[in-house]
Amino acid sequence: MEITRREFLKMSAAGAALMAIGCPVAAWAAKGEGEPDRWVKGVCRYCGTGCGVMVGVKGGKVVTVKGDPKNHNAGFLCLKGALMTSVIYAKERITQPLIRKNGKLTPASWDEALNLVASKFKEAIAQHGPKSVAYYGSGQALTEETYLASKIFKAGLKCNNVDGNPRLCMASAVGGYVTTFGKDEPMGSYDDIDNASCFFIIGSNTSECHPILFRRIAARKEANPATKIIVVDPRVTNTTRIADIHISFIPGTDLALLNSMAYVIIKEEMDNPRFHGAYCAFMDKEGKPQTFEDYKKFLEDYAPEKAEKITGIPAKTIKEVAKIFAQSSATMSMWCMGINQRIQGVWANNLIHNLHLLTGQIGRPGATTFSLTGQPNACGGVRDAGGLSHMLPAGRLIANKEHRNQMEKLWGLPEDSLNPEPGLPTIALFEALKEGKIKAMLILCTNPAQSLPDVNRYREAMARKDKFICLIEVFQDAETVQFADVVLAPAFWCERDGVYGCSERRYALIEKAIEPPGQCRPSVNILVDLAKRMGVDPKLVPYNNAADIWDEWRAVAKPTVYNFWGITRERLRKESGLKWPCPSEDHPGTNIRYVRGEDPLVPPDHPTKYFFYGRPDGKAVIWFRPYVGCAEGPDSEYSFVLTTGRVLDQWHTSTMTGKVPEIQRSYPKAFVEINDKDAKKLGIQTGDHVQLETRRDKMVFEARVGEVCRPGLVFVPWFDPKLLINKLTINAVDPISKQPEFKICAVKVSKAAKA
Amino acid sequence: MIQFDWFSRLRNRWGKWVIIAPAAVVVLAVIFIVCFNLAFPRTRCEAVKHLEAPEIAGDCYGCHVKATPKAAQDWYESKHGVQLVKCFVCHGQPDGKGEVVFALNPDVGICRKCHDSSVTNMVNNYGLEPNCVSCHPFHQNSIHHRAYVKPVAKKTID
């Protein structure tokens, strides 16, 4: 379609000019807004790319934003980031605490609201024990907020029910990194993009979800046109516009593709035996040590001809892609929710790492295996600071006695006083709420009433009369507000200071630019106040501001591989973000981990160049991960696959982007994307109403017919609060990471009458 | 009858072509419009003026691919098009709501959101006015048009 359109236009250039003359073109004069008084450094509030922004303030008000030229984005911002200003001054801002009285949220004083929350939590713990309360956090909260909340609950209340929405977005990536390399977080950085000569992008619509990274990939291709870009996605997204090869496949079969690529790499002797011989261990799915020969035997099932039958990808293409991947001078893999939001998310992550370890495409500039993150502080805040139910700060585990003891010492607690039993991960947590086992829950900076899978089920849980939900939320029209018993009013984005950590291990400071409106308070102040009222030992929360918490967190991470002691508040104010490990104040930050001379944690006299110190034997693991399908594949009754995702304009549950008039105009509502051929069979045209029905619920969407989705697949974006697609999605989770499979469920598609 | 004189002079000079040529232009234009509408069956562009159809006013490209096809196609092939820096990010929207002023020529403050260093360089190093459009007319040159298909630059070997 694109090609025909382009060629057609070229041929009719004269006609086009004629048309243009016929159209009224008025020259509107652009009004200058006047220069801001000052620029305050920050980080974009939206995605995990973590672009640096400069906030332009005039007379105590934000008037504009621009990109921070010193940060990794080199001054560029995407559509959303460039239109941040309207969000801050939205009329839907909550500016004072609210308490639900007779079913209605009514304004209350801070004292009244906080005392009510504290009494409900104390009552629940006194009657039902610490397991009956919970904290549900967010990859959008500041690092200081997550660290503090996690400490209050785990150390103060002895409750490990501390989880957050990163469980829905990157838990599988964590699982992948931890099982393969021993420690979480990617070894590379965005700088690798400028050095890669092959990009293997799988399960990511980088163009719409991480636009500034897409810009950088395109710039790399522009600088070096020989750069190969491979996009593996069942949809022909905008990302494919710069791709050399786009591979579509039957949704859920990518594990077979990845194993098949490994088969081809070994079969055609494109592997790097000196690398995997020295730095890799082989393990079967039970974790038993195996050999390279066993691995070859395991891969026999994935010869390209066999994989073709599973995936629908021609064997020739699999061979070609494997060849480009293995033989490029530096290959960078990037993936996102297409890989993570799956019941075999961890395995799929492992299989991508396998390809890099087999070929030695790792630990050189441009050669790396890089997970993209959805939220601005899922990495820095939740993953690193330990805001998940099985974790303690800096990669420590609750189940590990030694780790608990370290934290008890650092937090000044008596030995063996931390609760040794891991808490409930997100889906289990909301199941417990449904069963009435969770009596009181604190939700910070996230919108589970829209973002959970099979959301009817959990909206029911949140609507229980006998539960108590305290929500710290910026906007009164967020879905979850309907279910809150108390809503507390936090300061938003640049109204307080704090640190965000993006996909590339970069910590950057959002500085305070303006005063919060009304009675809004920074969430750290709310949490400290609440903790004291809940009877938590004041010695555990001796903080005056976020900077105090940052210093404690630096000290807590110092003895671990997360060491970022050198990233002081002072440096963060001066510099536009720093990448850990960064053990001392004169350290410039680390681009490539696990490599001698690059990573400060590899001793300078280490006998070999690479050292995967995260694992006891210093070797990364090549896992035998067989192909397993999805939880709910299509069948004769529900014959289509439903997948969900983002669009460029809107972000997450659109509580923020929904406040930007330009964006609301350009992308007001969700739609269903359907393939031409399927649409023809069903008699559906663009603009028609289409009913989607899964085993959970049904809903009507407007159709957008085209060639984006492959036949048999339909796509619906999940931002629209009026069309909650998550009512239709499935709550099946990955057995290792506990991340739900948002990306695949079976759906019945039929034409509906126009309303 | 000056007009008549003018016409008859043309007629004397060009004969029947005076009528055939404009007629051909009109016919070609009609054919073009018909073909164009056939080429974009899914594109909706019922509105003649901007505010006549507020529900689709946000989909600038959807209409402009018909109304101003050259501008729309140049954008589509440009870096801004590939990266989906959509029309309204720089030009605002017809209803004038939001922070971006609806303008054919965006204020340099809009360019500065992403290209601040470049603007500052031009001002400091070349003493130029901070006015990008005067040298970089949007949708018409290599900066906005077919950006990723640049001809390979000639290299000289000293």
Side-chain angles (χ1 to χ4, degrees):
Chain A
M1 175 70 197
E2 305 300 3
I3 304 293
T4 12
R5 179 197 288 173
R6 200 172 305 167
E7 281 170 0
F8 175 75
L9 277 163
K10 265 181 214 155
M11 286 187 290
S12 57
L18 189 112
M19 287 286 289
I21 290 161
C23 293
V25 179
W28 290 279
K31 276 179 272 171
E33 269 179 280
E35 275 292 287
D37 309 333
R38 62 199 171 95
W39 290 97
V40 183
K41 187 162 62 67
V43 183
C44 180
R45 179 64 182 73
Y46 293 116
C47 78
T49 308
C51 297
V53 297
M54 303 297 287
V55 180
V57 183
K58 190 178 187 176
K61 279 197 92 174
V62 175
V63 289
T64 187
V65 294
K66 66 179 182 184
D68 178 357
K70 291 191 196 129
N71 210 317
H72 69 78
N73 52 317
F76 292 102
L77 292 177
C78 76
L79 179 157
K80 294 185 288 285
L83 298 171
M84 242 348 264
T85 320
S86 314
V87 184
I88 305 168
Y89 298 108
K91 60 178 193 307
E92 294 86 353
R93 283 290 300 268
I94 295 169
T95 54
Q96 58 186 327
L98 305 168
I99 295 178
R100 195 172 293 279
K101 286 176 186 157
N102 303 323
K104 256 190 93 179
L105 284 171
T106 45
S109 72
W110 275 104
D111 265 332
E112 195 188 344
L114 289 173
N115 283 339
L116 175 63
V117 178
S119 68
K120 289 285 183 182
F121 272 76
K122 278 202 287 199
E123 187 188 306
I125 295 171
Q127 288 177 10
H128 307 280
K131 273 195 203 168
S132 66
V133 297
Y135 165 81
Y136 186 64
S138 167
Q140 299 160 56
L142 297 171
T143 302
E144 293 88 341
E145 291 165 7
T146 301
Y147 175 84
L148 173 61
S150 173
K151 183 178 179 186
I152 291 171
F153 275 74
K154 287 171 186 165
L157 305 177
K158 304 288 181 278
C159 162
N160 287 334
N161 288 334
V162 172
D163 218 56
N165 62 11
R167 183 73 73 181
L168 311 177
C169 113
M170 34 60 21
S172 297
V174 177
Y177 280 125
V178 171
T179 46
T180 299
F181 300 103
K183 291 289 169 192
D184 186 23
E185 298 285 359
M187 59 288 304
S189 72
Y190 298 153
D191 286 3
D192 286 309
I193 297 172
D194 306 335
N195 296 297
S197 54
C198 167
F199 292 93
F200 183 68
I201 301 172
I202 180 165
S204 156
N205 180 4
T206 322
S207 159
E208 296 197 58
C209 305
H210 301 87
I212 296 301
L213 296 182
F214 178 74
R215 190 208 72 82
R216 201 158 167 180
I217 297 168
R220 170 62 185 162
K221 175 116 177 132
E222 190 190 10
N224 178 11
T227 305
K228 288 272 183 263
I229 298 173
I230 302 159
V231 175
V232 188
D233 194 323
R235 291 171 68 223
V236 189
T237 61
N238 193 66
T239 309
T240 62
R241 278 194 69 184
I242 60 165
D244 296 275
I245 299 174
H246 169 247
I247 301 177
S248 175
F249 60 98
I250 298 164
T253 61
D254 40 4
L255 278 79
L257 165 72
L258 294 164
N259 273 331
S260 185
M261 283 172 69
Y263 174 91
V264 175
I265 286 167
I266 294 173
K267 184 92 182 164
E268 299 190 10
E269 301 201 341
M270 298 183 290
D271 59 331
N272 185 341
R274 285 207 68 185
F275 186 89
H276 66 69
Y279 304 112
C280 299
F282 292 85
M283 281 188 193
D284 67 7
K285 64 178 174 151
E286 276 89 36
K288 279 195 218 105
Q290 301 286 337
T291 64
F292 181 58
E293 291 306 314
D294 298 326
Y295 185 52
K296 271 165 56 179
K297 218 179 288 159
F298 161 78
L299 289 176
E300 284 301 319
D301 290 344
Y302 302 97
E305 291 71 24
K306 291 179 190 165
E308 178 175 345
K309 290 199 188 101
I310 306 172
T311 60
I313 307 167
K316 205 175 117 237
T317 311
I318 299 175
K319 285 180 193 165
E320 190 190 349
V321 169
K323 209 162 161 181
I324 298 171
F325 186 103
Q327 295 189 333
S328 96
S329 58
T331 298
M332 181 170 191
S333 290
M334 293 169 131
W335 67 95
C336 200
M337 296 313 138
I339 290 289
N340 294 344
Q341 289 178 337
R342 301 273 299 284
I343 57 155
Q344 341 81 0
V346 174
W347 285 20
N349 270 270
N350 289 144
L351 292 180
I352 297 173
H353 301 322
N354 279 2
L355 296 177
H356 285 267
L357 293 170
L358 263 185
T359 53
Q361 294 280 18
I362 198 164
R364 283 176 285 118
T368 197
T369 165
F370 197 90
S371 137
L372 297 169
T373 316
Q375 300 183 87
N377 200 27
C379 287
V382 176
R383 278 157 79 163
D384 300 353
L388 293 173
S389 59
H390 63 292
M391 284 170 78
L392 289 164
R396 297 177 178 96
L397 297 172
I398 288 172
N400 184 321
K401 185 174 182 323
E402 202 183 311
H403 289 176
R404 284 200 310 277
N405 291 156
Q406 287 170 13
M407 284 318 300
E408 283 149 2
K409 219 167 177 184
L410 286 160
W411 280 342
L413 297 166
E415 201 174 279
D416 293 329
S417 64
L418 282 175
N419 184 346
E421 193 190 331
L424 298 170
T426 299
I427 294 298
L429 186 64
F430 281 88
E431 285 290 339
L433 183 72
K434 191 175 166 60
E435 287 160 22
K437 288 181 190 154
I438 300 287
K439 304 292 177 194
M441 188 187 264
L442 174 63
I443 301 176
L444 172 70
C445 200
T446 182
N447 195 4
Q450 178 166 353
S451 59
L452 290 171
D454 193 2
V455 73
N456 281 335
R457 192 177 167 84
Y458 304 114
R459 282 166 78 96
E460 226 172 81
M462 283 186 266
R464 272 182 80 110
K465 288 273 177 332
D466 59 345
K467 63 85 190 68
F468 178 83
I469 289 178
C470 169
L471 178 68
I472 305 181
E473 168 63 52
V474 179
F475 300 106
Q476 64 197 25
D477 57 344
E479 283 296 302
T480 311
V481 171
Q482 301 166 33
F483 303 97
D485 298 283
V486 170
V487 184
L488 302 176
F492 178 61
W493 193 42
C494 60
E495 294 163 359
R496 81 303 198 216
D497 73 323
V499 178
Y500 266 5
C502 69
S503 302
E504 64 161 355
R505 294 174 280 109
R506 179 191 290 268
Y507 290 168
L509 182 67
I510 303 170
E511 294 185 50
K512 183 176 171 177
I514 52 167
E515 287 301 323
Q519 300 175 32
C520 291
R521 287 186 189 179
S523 296
V524 277
N525 300 29
I526 300 174
L527 290 169
V528 168
D529 197 341
L530 195 56
K532 286 178 182 160
R533 288 175 206 243
M534 285 196 287
V536 170
D537 184 355
K539 272 185 273 171
L540 276 175
V541 285
Y543 319 111
N544 293 316
N545 50 40
D548 292 348
I549 302 173
W550 181 253
D551 282 336
E552 180 181 312
W553 166 219
R554 272 194 318 138
V556 163
K558 198 181 173 189
T560 70
V561 300
Y562 287 74
N563 191 343
F564 63 98
W565 182 249
I567 307 183
T568 60
R569 208 74 170 179
E570 199 53 38
R571 266 185 98 182
L572 285 173
R573 282 195 197 98
K574 279 193 219 129
E575 296 174 56
S576 295
L578 284 156
K579 283 169 263 187
W580 62 268
C582 180
S584 60
E585 284 186 44
D586 55 359
H587 194 276
T590 303
N591 272 336
I592 304 176
R593 284 166 94 195
Y594 308 131
V595 174
R596 189 180 62 195
E598 293 276 349
D599 185 340
L601 303 180
V602 178
D605 57 351
H606 191 76
T608 50
K609 184 181 168 194
Y610 301 96
F611 177 30
F612 295 103
Y613 50 73
R615 293 199 24 92
D617 57 357
K619 288 179 175 185
V621 182
I622 291 179
W623 286 96
F624 300 11
R625 299 298 200 197
Y627 159 66
V628 177
C630 52
E632 190 191 75
D635 51 33
S636 54
E637 198 185 349
Y638 298 87
S639 57
F640 281 78
V641 170
L642 168 67
T643 192
T644 69
R646 280 183 196 167
V647 293
L648 170 83
D649 309 51
Q650 300 276 10
W651 197 77
H652 260 218
T653 59
S654 76
T655 52
M656 289 184 289
T657 45
K659 309 297 183 290
V660 181
E662 289 94 339
I663 291 178
Q664 269 318 83
R665 268 263 193 271
S666 82
Y667 239 116
K669 62 178 179 193
F671 53 86
V672 55
E673 213 168 60
I674 181 165
N675 183 275
D676 279 339
K677 291 184 195 116
D678 291 334
K680 207 169 172 186
K681 267 183 239 156
L682 297 165
I684 295 166
Q685 286 184 324
T686 292
D688 285 353
H689 287 200
V690 170
Q691 178 172 282
L692 301 186
E693 182 179 352
T694 66
R695 290 185 173 86
R696 291 149 296 276
D697 202 352
K698 59 185 172 192
M699 216 183 288
V700 174
F701 294 87
E702 224 171 72
R704 209 178 265 194
V705 177
E707 288 157 4
V708 178
C709 281
R710 63 180 276 128
L713 178 72
V714 294
F715 167 84
V716 179
W718 67 284
F719 68 83
D720 193 344
K722 292 193 191 75
L723 292 166
L724 288 176
I725 187 62
N726 276 330
K727 289 182 176 178
L728 273 61
T729 51
I730 192 169
N731 63 353
V733 296
D734 181 300
I736 306 173
S737 70
K738 313 294 179 202
Q739 179 162 354
E741 188 160 66
F742 286 95
K743 288 295 177 193
I744 302 170
C745 69
V747 65
K748 211 189 287 182
V749 180
S750 59
K751 191 171 172 175
K754 278 215 175 189
Chain B
M1 295 313 271
I2 300 162
Q3 263 188 337
F4 186 72
D5 283 354
W6 166 79
F7 185 72
S8 59
R9 240 187 290 148
L10 274 179
R11 200 133 188 206
N12 289 337
R13 190 157 171 203
W14 298 103
K16 60 184 175 183
W17 293 103
V18 175
I19 293 165
I20 294 174
V25 170
V26 171
V27 170
L28 283 174
V30 169
I31 292 172
F32 175 79
I33 292 164
V34 170
C35 292
F36 210 86
N37 278 293
L38 289 175
F40 300 103
R42 298 191 198 106
T43 312
R44 304 163 302 166
C45 188
E46 296 86 0
V48 179
K49 286 183 185 154
H50 272 129
L51 294 173
E52 267 177 19
E55 72 286 356
I56 59 164
D59 183 14
C60 315
Y61 182 80
C63 264
H64 276 266
V65 76
K66 279 179 159 184
T68 59
K70 175 122 182 21
Q73 189 64 18
D74 281 357
W75 170 82
Y76 181 81
E77 289 177 1
S78 74
K79 282 192 184 180
H80 278 180
V82 174
Q83 291 162 23
L84 296 179
V85 179
K86 296 188 179 178
C87 312
F88 60 83
V89 179
C90 306
H91 295 288
Q93 278 177 351
D95 61 7
K97 287 177 192 158
E99 58 177 295
V100 185
V101 178
F102 184 52
L104 182 66
N105 293 326
D107 181 72
V108 73
I110 302 286
C111 310
R112 279 188 190 269
K113 282 186 174 184
C114 289
H115 304 283
D116 192 38
S117 315
S118 308
V119 177
T120 310
N121 271 347
M122 286 309 214
V123 175
N124 292 349
N125 299 353
Y126 303 101
L128 294 172
E129 287 278 301
N131 179 8
C132 310
V133 216
S134 59
C135 299
H136 304 297
F138 305 129
H139 313 307
Q140 284 176 38
N141 65 5
S142 62
I143 288 183
H144 270 211
H145 174 52
R146 291 175 62 86
Y148 290 118
V149 210
K150 274 183 189 162
V152 179
K154 276 185 189 166
K155 280 178 191 161
T156 48
I157 301 162
D158 289 357

